[in-house]
Amino acid sequence: MNHLHGIVRSNRSMLLFLGLFALIAVATQLSGVPLMQRIVTVMMINLILVLGLQVFMGNSGFLSFVHIGFMGIGAYTSALLAMPVRAKSAALPTLYPFLADIQLPFLPAVLLAALVAALVAAIFGYPLMRLSESAAAIASFAMLVIIHVVLSQWSAVTNGPRTLFGVLRYTDLMTAAMWALVIIAVAYLFKRSTLGLKLRASRDNIHAAYSLGINVVVVRWIAFVISAAICGLAGALWAHFITSFAPGAFYLAQTFVVLTMLIVGGPRTVSGAVVGVLAVTAVHEGLRHVENTLNTSGSLPFQVVGLTEVLLAAALIVMLAVRPGGLIQSGEAGSPKARTVPPQQSAHVAAEEAS
Amino acid sequence: MQTFLQFILNALSLGSIYALMALGLVIVFGILRLVNFAYGELIMVAGYAWFALQGPGWPWVLLAVGAVIAAGVVSVLTERVAFRPVRSDSLNAMLVTSFAVSTLLQNSALLLVSPRARAVEVPSVLNNSIEFGGLRLGVNDLVTIVVCGAVLLALGALLRRTTLGIALRAAADDFRMLRLLGVRADKVIATAFAISGVLAGVVGVLWITRIGAVTPTVGAAPLLIALIAVVVGGMNGLAGSIVGGYLLGTLTVGLQLFLPQEVLAFRDAFIFAVVIIVLVLRPQGLVKGRYSAERVA
Amino acid sequence: MLAINGLQVRYGAIVAVRDLSLSVAEGELVALVGANGAGKSTTMAAIAGVVKPSTGTITFLGQSLRGRSSEAIAGLGVALIPEDRGIFPSLTVEQNLRLGAYLRRGQKDLGKDFASVYRRFPILAERAKQGAGTLSGGEQQQLAIGRALLSRPKLLMLDEPSLGLSPTMVDRMFELIDELHRDGTTILLVEQNVRRTLEIVDRAYLLTNGRLTASGTPEQLRREVDIAGAYMGGRAAAAGDISEGRTG
């Protein structure tokens, strides 16, 4: 009993959010409002994406633009693997035979999608991990462009820049929510793992981390691969929810939304990432509702386009100026004591806890 | 021989635009270590300013000047409103801010103008070409080469002769020392953004008149081009970015000529792969500038 | 002219300077001496506004310097020549000097001051059009001092001016500082070369591990540190330097 109490105590923040999101999922399901269900499903998928990004960005301190590219890789991989053979030959007549003839069930397709995204990240990401902060950010941006070009030009596999139709709908609110809960736990556990600790030590003081014998490049790389897998998974889930999409979905606009969620919430903490998703989704949907109402009411002589993004971008700029660390900056929300470790000390803390 | 000369002329023309694009990006990067993702939107601003001014039949020069001023003003405004508050925070905060500014400006154009392309009136003389010894010289290309050359010379004089220009170069060397000499950081940074905006404006006018239309996303391609040129040329020197620009212009024209059509679709992927390779193998760029890791607080 | 009271500077968890009080009067040449890491450079950086103190007051000509930016402090007439000299390598020697006179742009007597800097440092006149990055260490130090003088500082702060110079250049550097002092310039000097420093200064402060451990005229300091050294087995490496006359 005491033991159980201890587990609850040390995981209070994680359990809090697991409970909260389970509650949101069940409540939405019971409400039976299709629009709500749709919004919450997308929110769950965005949550997975943001957490995937947080695993790398939050713990390493590196900015990454490429992760939406991994989402795209996951989406196309899973779509191709799980599409019925007949639909596939209609949508992609020039597809390679070995891909054209297979049809996997949902779960293996999704897992393979995560694996493919992880593989791409592992192979092409390794050299990036050795770069300095700003060079790595630019390189990750270059990588996003490359993935985008390949997705939109490799017509045999992706139908080029055009929309790919005929993906089966497997993802519903409950699947998305279940995966989101799993990934919440993964993000918390990763942050607290030896690996996460080493990575955070390298973020706070790179020299100290090296002097403690931490192989910073490898640690960073592993986190990058794990986070790519999570984003690939999110892409796969999204593909089987939306069922028809084009490469443009995995580019700058989506990157902006996901980065906003993470930065507004606070990239250094898992609870920050989670709160960021909730807050931005609420604002985003609210604004979109206003925009739609304006457009359908006909009270304005022109169509309102881009208002949501304008206000969201303005909010992000204000947020960065006023509270650059995000809503939840250091201590995890709901933890027994939200203790903050000064940068100079955390390397030692990591060393002690890692040894 | 004629094909070769034609090739040189095209490469020179495209290269000069690319060089100016790169220069506008690197002048801010040199001081703040910031890759300004909103740079492409300054080019867009110039395009829309041209579009807004073109009605009453004013002389072309006036439209061009108006467009350049608009880009410069917006650039300085973004510095004052968005970048200054986050300057002392992490590099990532600045990068994300620039991403947000880019989104804000792009969607403002969507909201205030239209998602659809707007045609700009281009002086008809630009579409003419001069036959010269079997060579077809587009007036457009000639104007581009001359304008870019003039801008490069003017900028060179500004940076070499004026006190503020010298301070700007000093800031890229050692910003802390510059402030110890009593030079206000805000002023130097605002100047850098002003120059960056003006360069974006000139590029915008040349670019938009080439395309003949302006859209909210018209700045995306120039931003990517500038980014590549800067990385390849070297991020720590103004000369490097100019070299990078001309190199990239030549490469683009060359690939267009020699690459088969089906591979050409992947051209940008190849070019960005080169970017990553350069970053990994030669982070200082092909043209070595002075190393300075210091940022401004 | 300059008064510091209860100054404390921290770098994260490390306290670099604690409870430091000192003063410099107009026309004085005052030195901060002490071992590596004693907090001398940090003190200067705090005066110049490069680092922000956590507690304490710094007043210059009756005005508080705390919370002011380094450019504003420079505007009040405080010039710091940092340990790395802060030469702009991509500029020419002349352009470096021009930035030294930045605060006096457009003043009439500037030409005269340029001439006097070139007279004092003929090598700078010779190399005026050369890139400053090509200068030797000693030449760079001369450039740094010449540049600082062009701002006509009310207080000149030099951080380890003799560092990394050849023995002859070190001699010239101390002569030069002495000369500037005689000309009436108020100078705060940080040096590890304690023996040479005590030969030219009016007063000195000894810092050990961020604390003030002794102060006074060179004679007082030599005597006091000698006694303290005899009784306490030496306070620090720098204290040993003073009593034994070693150069650091």
Side-chain angles (χ1 to χ4, degrees):
Chain A
M1 194 59 213
N2 243 343
H3 183 62
L4 187 68
H5 184 74
I7 290 179
V8 170
R9 207 180 136 73
S10 60
N11 291 303
R12 210 147 87 179
S13 175
M14 178 172 101
L15 295 173
L16 177 79
F17 284 112
L18 287 176
L20 178 66
F21 276 82
L23 198 69
I24 292 175
V26 171
T28 314
Q29 183 74 12
L30 292 179
S31 80
V33 183
L35 177 67
M36 260 327 266
Q37 290 177 348
R38 194 182 159 80
I39 290 172
V40 173
T41 310
V42 171
M43 183 184 81
M44 293 292 176
I45 295 170
N46 276 335
L47 179 64
I48 299 171
L49 267 178
V50 172
L51 287 172
L53 199 57
Q54 195 276 335
V55 163
F56 177 68
M57 259 180 70
N59 294 304
S60 75
F62 273 46
L63 181 59
S64 170
F65 291 104
V66 68
H67 277 74
I68 294 304
F70 296 137
M71 177 198 181
I73 291 174
Y76 276 98
T77 308
S78 181
L80 284 172
L81 291 175
M83 246 166 124
V85 174
R86 177 105 53 77
K88 224 182 318 193
S89 69
L92 301 162
T94 52
L95 187 63
Y96 310 116
F98 75 97
L99 272 174
D101 297 337
I102 46 170
Q103 187 191 349
L104 295 180
F106 180 46
L107 188 65
V110 166
L111 292 178
L112 273 172
L115 187 69
V116 170
L119 268 178
V120 173
I123 295 167
F124 297 105
Y126 187 78
L128 266 61
M129 301 300 115
R130 295 166 35 199
L131 299 176
S132 70
E133 212 184 342
S134 61
I138 299 170
S140 76
F141 185 78
M143 216 166 144
L144 174 68
V145 176
I146 293 176
I147 292 177
H148 178 71
V149 171
V150 171
L151 288 182
S152 49
Q153 300 300 333
W154 199 0
S155 302
V157 174
T158 64
N159 199 23
R162 293 171 302 274
T163 304
L164 176 67
F165 290 101
V167 183
L168 288 185
R169 180 154 188 168
Y170 285 119
T171 309
D172 57 18
L173 174 57
M174 280 302 149
T175 356
M178 197 201 69
W179 278 108
L181 295 185
V182 170
I183 300 300
I184 288 178
V186 167
Y188 271 103
L189 295 178
F190 179 84
K191 189 184 170 195
R192 285 218 316 249
S193 68
T194 312
L195 200 70
L197 225 44
K198 284 180 177 173
L199 192 58
R200 281 185 287 146
S202 78
R203 173 193 73 190
D204 293 338
N205 190 335
I206 183 105
H207 302 295
Y210 273 120
S211 69
L212 291 167
I214 296 174
N215 191 334
V216 174
V217 174
V218 168
V219 170
R220 227 177 248 161
W221 179 63
I222 295 172
F224 187 68
V225 172
I226 293 173
S227 74
I230 296 174
C231 290
L233 173 84
L237 293 173
W238 188 78
H240 292 293
F241 174 70
I242 221 83
T243 68
S244 59
F245 50 87
F250 314 105
Y251 206 34
L252 297 174
Q254 177 69 5
T255 301
F256 175 71
V257 171
V258 170
L259 270 181
T260 306
M261 288 174 167
L262 186 57
I263 302 287
V264 165
R268 290 188 160 214
T269 56
V270 180
S271 28
V274 174
V275 169
V277 172
L278 283 173
V280 173
T281 303
V283 174
H284 199 250
E285 293 304 329
L287 288 172
R288 206 151 66 182
H289 181 70
V290 171
E291 202 174 301
N292 285 342
T293 315
L294 280 176
N295 283 340
T296 47
S297 71
S299 55
L300 293 172
F302 52 86
Q303 288 281 301
V304 179
V305 189
L307 179 68
T308 307
E309 283 75 15
V310 168
L311 293 176
L312 214 55
L316 180 58
I317 291 169
V318 171
M319 185 75 203
L320 280 161
V322 178
R323 207 174 156 86
L327 291 171
I328 301 175
Q329 309 193 340
S330 45
E332 294 291 354
S335 302
K337 43 178 181 182
R339 136 188 105 116
T340 55
V341 183
Q344 284 78 11
Q345 282 170 17
S346 49
H348 300 287
V349 174
E352 281 160 24
E353 293 183 35
S355 62
Chain B
M1 187 62 200
Q2 264 179 27
T3 344
F4 180 70
L5 279 177
Q6 193 76 54
F7 169 76
I8 293 285
L9 191 75
N10 292 343
L12 209 58
S13 158
L14 199 61
S16 350
I17 295 196
Y18 287 4
L20 283 200
M21 284 177 190
L23 209 51
L25 196 63
V26 88
I27 206 150
V28 167
F29 181 87
I31 293 172
L32 285 181
R33 310 271 108 191
L34 161 72
V35 176
N36 187 3
F37 284 107
Y39 183 62
E41 275 60 50
L42 300 174
I43 292 169
M44 172 204 83
V45 165
Y48 278 111
W50 178 289
F51 169 72
L53 293 172
Q54 70 185 357
W58 284 328
W60 300 117
V61 179
L62 204 66
L63 297 191
V65 170
V68 170
I69 290 175
V73 168
V74 170
S75 179
V76 172
L77 275 179
T78 61
E79 189 275 326
R80 186 67 197 82
V81 174
F83 293 111
R84 196 174 291 183
V86 292
R87 213 163 65 199
S88 55
D89 297 322
S90 73
L91 200 57
N92 290 347
M94 270 205 302
L95 272 174
V96 176
T97 299
S98 83
F99 206 61
V101 172
S102 161
T103 306
L104 180 73
L105 291 174
Q106 220 179 83
N107 285 285
S108 301
L110 273 179
L111 187 63
L112 301 175
V113 191
S114 162
R116 270 171 311 185
R118 289 284 183 240
V120 294
E121 294 166 18
V122 180
S124 54
V125 62
L126 283 184
N127 298 325
N128 293 350
S129 56
I130 308 164
E131 294 280 344
F132 186 77
L135 224 57
R136 264 190 74 244
L137 305 179
V139 174
N140 200 349
D141 286 335
L142 290 177
V143 168
T144 301
I145 293 172
V146 170
V147 168
C148 291
V151 170
L152 282 180
L153 284 179
L155 186 64
L158 179 84
L159 291 175
R160 256 186 230 104
R161 308 238 181 281
T162 68
T163 307
L164 204 56
I166 294 170
L168 215 59
R169 285 193 295 142
D173 273 356
D174 186 345
F175 209 116
R176 176 207 48 147
M177 188 64 222
L178 189 65
R179 301 180 70 182
L180 283 173
L181 294 175
V183 183
R184 277 177 45 224
D186 288 346
K187 186 171 173 180
V188 173
I189 292 167
T191 310
F193 270 90
I195 293 177
S196 174
V198 165
L199 288 172
V202 174
V203 169
V205 168
L206 295 171
W207 193 252
I208 303 288
T209 49
R210 251 169 201 246
I211 304 173
V214 53
T215 64
T217 53
V218 76
L223 170 73
L224 294 183
I225 292 162
L227 195 60
I228 302 162
V230 166
V231 170
V232 172
M235 293 192 274
N236 294 318
L238 299 179
S241 65
I242 298 174
V243 173
Y246 279 103
L247 215 63
L248 190 65
T250 313
L251 193 70
T252 311
V253 175
L255 289 178
Q256 203 77 45
L257 272 180
F258 302 119
L259 230 52
Q261 201 55 46
E262 59 269 29
V263 188
L264 203 57
F266 290 92
R267 188 187 68 196
D268 291 350
F270 284 123
I271 293 179
F272 274 91
V274 170
V275 169
I276 294 181
I277 291 167
V278 170
L279 276 173
V280 170
L281 297 183
R282 215 181 143 77
Q284 72 274 36
L286 298 180
V287 181
K288 196 165 177 269
R290 268 177 207 83
Y291 181 70
S292 87
E294 196 124 13
R295 283 206 310 122
V296 196
Chain C
M1 180 180 242
L2 176 76
I4 296 179
N5 231 313
L7 181 74
Q8 172 164 306
V9 186
R10 309 170 60 108
Y11 294 118
I14 302 153
V15 181
V17 173
R18 61 179 83 222
D19 197 25
L20 177 73
S21 299
L22 62 80
S23 65
V24 181
E26 186 156 2
E28 249 190 330
L29 168 53
V30 175
L32 291 177
V33 293
N36 231 334
K40 302 169 305 216
S41 299
T42 304
T43 306
M44 278 199 171
I47 298 170
V50 177
V51 299
K52 304 284 165 231
S54 43
T55 49
T57 59
I58 306 174
T59 35
F60 178 71
L61 294 172
Q63 282 176 295
S64 171
L65 297 189
R66 271 197 66 183
R68 283 180 203 255
S69 64
S70 43
E71 51 259 47
I73 292 170
L76 290 175
V78 178
L80 168 67
I81 301 172
E83 194 178 319
D84 62 11
R85 283 143 204 168
I87 296 302
F88 303 117
S90 24
L91 306 186
T92 64
V93 168
E94 193 187 10
Q95 290 170 336
N96 266 279
L97 290 174
R98 235 176 111 176
L99 287 180
Y102 179 83
L103 288 167
R104 298 174 52 212
R105 276 163 301 166
Q107 286 182 15
K108 267 186 253 123
D109 46 355
L110 212 51
K112 223 176 61 202
D113 282 17
F114 262 91
S116 100
V117 165
Y118 281 141
R119 213 176 315 115
R120 208 190 278 273
F121 308 108
I123 192 78
L124 297 185
E126 230 170 84
R127 308 249 154 123
K129 300 286 177 201
Q130 264 186 36
T134 65
L135 299 183
S136 73
E139 289 161 359
Q140 288 197 4
Q141 188 61 271
Q142 294 179 40
L143 174 57
I145 294 175
R147 189 175 64 183
L149 290 178
L150 278 172
S151 69
R152 284 208 185 161
K154 296 186 180 113
L155 171 68
L156 179 64
M157 300 198 289
L158 294 119
D159 193 352
E160 307 266 7
S162 72
L163 193 78
L165 299 184
S166 67
T168 34
M169 270 314 296
V170 172
D171 287 344
R172 280 207 44 202
M173 202 48 66
F174 278 101
E175 272 166 36
L176 176 68
I177 294 166
D178 197 28
E179 215 176 281
L180 290 173
H181 176 215
R182 280 170 211 287
D183 290 351
T185 314
T186 312
I187 301 174
L188 182 62
L189 173 68
V190 156
E191 261 294 341
Q192 286 197 52
N193 192 334
V194 179
R195 186 176 56 86
R196 298 293 299 271
T197 304
L198 291 186
E199 281 168 10
I200 59 167
V201 296
D202 298 322
R203 287 186 303 115
Y205 293 87
L206 173 65
L207 287 180
T208 313
N209 293 328
R211 276 178 212 281
L212 194 64
T213 41
S215 66
T217 63
E219 295 75 35
Q220 283 173 334
L221 213 59
R222 283 198 195 96
R223 209 174 325 124
E224 194 189 330
V225 171
D226 209 21
I227 294 165
Y231 280 102
M232 295 157 64
R235 271 184 230 191
D241 282 349
I242 294 177
S243 52
E244 291 160 31
R246 261 202 325 249
T247 58

